[in-house]
Amino acid sequence: MKFEPFQLERQQSIWENKVDYNLSESGVHPGTLKSLFSSNFIEKIENTELTYGFTEGSPELRQSIASIYPGAIPENVQAFNGSAEANMVAIMSLLEKGDEMVYMMPNYLQIYGFSRGLGVDVKTFALHESLNWQPDLDELRSLVTDKTKLICICNPNNPTGSVLPKETVHAIGEIAQSVGAWILADEVYRGAELNREECTSIWEIDYDKTIVNCGLSKAYGLPGLRLGWSLANKDYIQKCWATHDYTSIAIGRLSDMIAAHVLLPENRMKTLNRTRDALTKNLALFQAWVESFHGKFNFIPPDAGAMAFARYDWDINSSELVEKVRNEASVMLVAGDWYGMDHYLRFGYGAKKTDLEAALERITPVFNSL
Ligand SMILES: Cc1ncc(COP(=O)(O)O)c(C=O)c1O
């Protein structure tokens, strides 16, 4: 088994704590325990015994998660250490060497690299810039065959921030159903829609072989909890619970408690609205910055999430440009190269507003010098 380097995560691991401003993040600026909870709840946390807890997620947590999705019950939920673990376990549970997967591009390349490392045959279909980062469904249909075991989508998408309309989600469901393939939807940016309308989850289509992977790192701004989940039919949940025994056994006891509270129906929208308010203000700031370069960027604003993915019209490779910006301004951006798309940059615009302003001011002379 040989895994190719996961460029985006590797570069973030190396640089994110060394730069003055990190605009490589894809989530909103994180919350603190104090900002989220009353002193009663903090006292409860202080007095909790740090046992393994429930390896499938506590009943409270699974109930809170199930309440997000119409018709779901706790038995449809398995808790994980981040949606990254949910993704990894899904691949380990469903696929073997030589199996065929059809995968959306561009995308967060964890599932891609991990599956290829296991010897899965990964075919890709595109979100097209010319279609406002939407797929061409005929292209997807032409790739899916009787051999396709799994179709993977990321909705809302990383890095473009595009959201698939309801009809497209249903159409992808029909394509998968026509060959009996599973659909895995990474929905970790769901809830961070700028128009405040939660996008269609794959859970909402009438098909049994769907898996939603989601978590608290992005739309909820709580990546330090390392809290994710899978939502699927009961058999799959039993199967991935058993695979989870081999990966990390259980999620952190405190993360479980905190997440169960954050996801209670009466609390959840408060957190998501805080995200949406921050993103709306910051996006206006970022757009004004892009416009100050008079057409040097081609930028389709995101529908959701804290990422702005822009094509640039300067004659410099994106990894070199990111290095130049980091060296000259101590600001970290994401290179299109790390997605296999040179001449694009991903800006994390979900930083604290004052940090975003300061970082954009710092990088302006670097771009002016190109
Ligand atoms: C689409 C997508 N899925 C999963 C992850 C992993 O997130 P986490 O494990 O923090 O939930 C990321 C992180 O950037 C992501 O962009």
Side-chain angles (χ1 to χ4, degrees), residues 69-370:
Y69 304 93
I73 55 172
E75 287 72 21
N76 297 121
V77 177
Q78 168 68 39
F80 286 107
N81 286 285
S83 43
E85 192 190 29
N87 285 341
M88 182 179 146
V89 166
I91 300 307
M92 289 162 70
S93 305
L94 293 179
L95 299 180
E96 288 174 25
K97 190 174 176 185
D99 281 346
E100 195 176 289
M101 171 204 291
V102 175
Y103 185 78
M104 175 186 275
M105 283 283 209
N107 207 327
Y108 180 64
L109 293 172
Q110 181 213 356
I111 291 178
Y112 179 82
F114 185 68
S115 304
R116 280 162 53 99
L118 295 182
V120 171
D121 179 12
V122 184
K123 297 192 159 44
T124 61
F125 72 102
L127 297 180
H128 297 277
E129 191 173 13
S130 58
L131 299 175
N132 278 336
W133 297 120
Q134 292 296 318
D136 170 350
L137 290 174
D138 287 335
E139 182 189 337
L140 176 60
R141 273 186 204 101
S142 72
L143 285 171
V144 169
T145 68
D146 290 344
K147 281 170 67 189
T148 308
K149 285 255 175 85
L150 178 66
I151 299 176
C152 277
I153 62 173
C154 179
N155 185 40
N157 178 252
N158 174 356
T160 63
S162 67
V163 161
L164 299 175
K166 186 175 178 182
E167 314 79 67
T168 305
V169 174
H170 282 266
I172 293 173
E174 280 157 26
I175 293 169
Q177 206 159 355
S178 70
V179 294
W182 282 85
I183 310 175
L184 167 54
D186 184 331
E187 297 183 359
V188 74
Y189 297 95
R190 186 166 182 261
E193 297 81 1
L194 287 140
N195 70 0
R196 292 170 185 267
E197 280 172 33
E198 214 147 345
C199 65
T200 307
S201 168
I202 202 73
W203 174 256
E204 292 165 42
I205 72 171
D206 185 22
Y207 184 42
D208 200 34
K209 290 168 95 172
T210 61
I211 302 165
V212 171
N213 284 346
C214 193
L216 294 188
S217 296
K218 310 297 176 183
Y220 300 85
L222 300 169
L225 291 179
R226 306 305 306 125
L227 198 293
W229 61 85
S230 283
L231 180 86
N233 73 47
K234 291 184 200 170
D235 289 344
Y236 174 80
I237 292 300
Q238 288 294 320
K239 192 169 170 173
C240 76
W241 184 23
T243 311
H244 190 221
D245 294 342
Y246 278 109
T247 56
S248 62
I249 308 173
I251 63 171
R253 181 76 195 96
L254 296 183
S255 294
D256 183 312
M257 277 178 75
I258 296 167
H261 185 81
V262 170
L263 291 173
L264 282 174
E266 61 270 30
N267 297 337
R268 180 173 174 261
M269 286 323 293
K270 256 191 253 166
T271 309
L272 292 181
N273 285 334
R274 192 190 60 151
T275 296
R276 292 162 173 177
D277 290 345
L279 291 184
T280 304
K281 284 188 197 132
N282 284 7
L283 185 58
L285 203 91
F286 179 74
Q287 264 178 306
W289 183 82
V290 161
E291 278 158 23
S292 74
F293 289 93
H294 308 292
K296 293 301 268 184
F297 286 106
N298 186 55
F299 173 50
I300 300 173
D303 300 316
M307 293 158 292
F309 196 58
R311 180 158 47 87
Y312 60 82
D313 180 24
W314 284 286
D315 190 17
I316 179 169
N317 163 267
S318 59
S319 296
E320 279 171 38
L321 180 51
V322 163
E323 198 178 327
K324 185 176 166 66
V325 171
R326 198 184 63 230
N327 288 338
E328 294 178 18
S330 193
V331 173
M332 182 171 184
L333 304 175
V334 171
D337 266 352
W338 306 344
Y339 287 93
M341 295 173 75
D342 192 17
H343 283 81
Y344 288 84
L345 290 173
R346 192 187 89 178
F347 298 79
Y349 73 94
K352 244 196 260 173
K353 188 161 176 270
T354 46
D355 285 352
L356 179 64
E357 274 163 343
L360 293 178
E361 203 179 306
R362 281 249 195 126
I363 65 178
T364 300
V366 185
F367 282 89
N368 280 334
S369 74
L370 292 175

Side-chain angles (χ1 to χ4, degrees), residues 49-58 248-253 256:
E49 287 183 356
L50 298 176
T51 62
Y52 277 107
F54 294 80
T55 65
E56 67 275 50
S58 68
S248 62
I249 308 173
I251 63 171
R253 181 76 195 96
D256 183 312

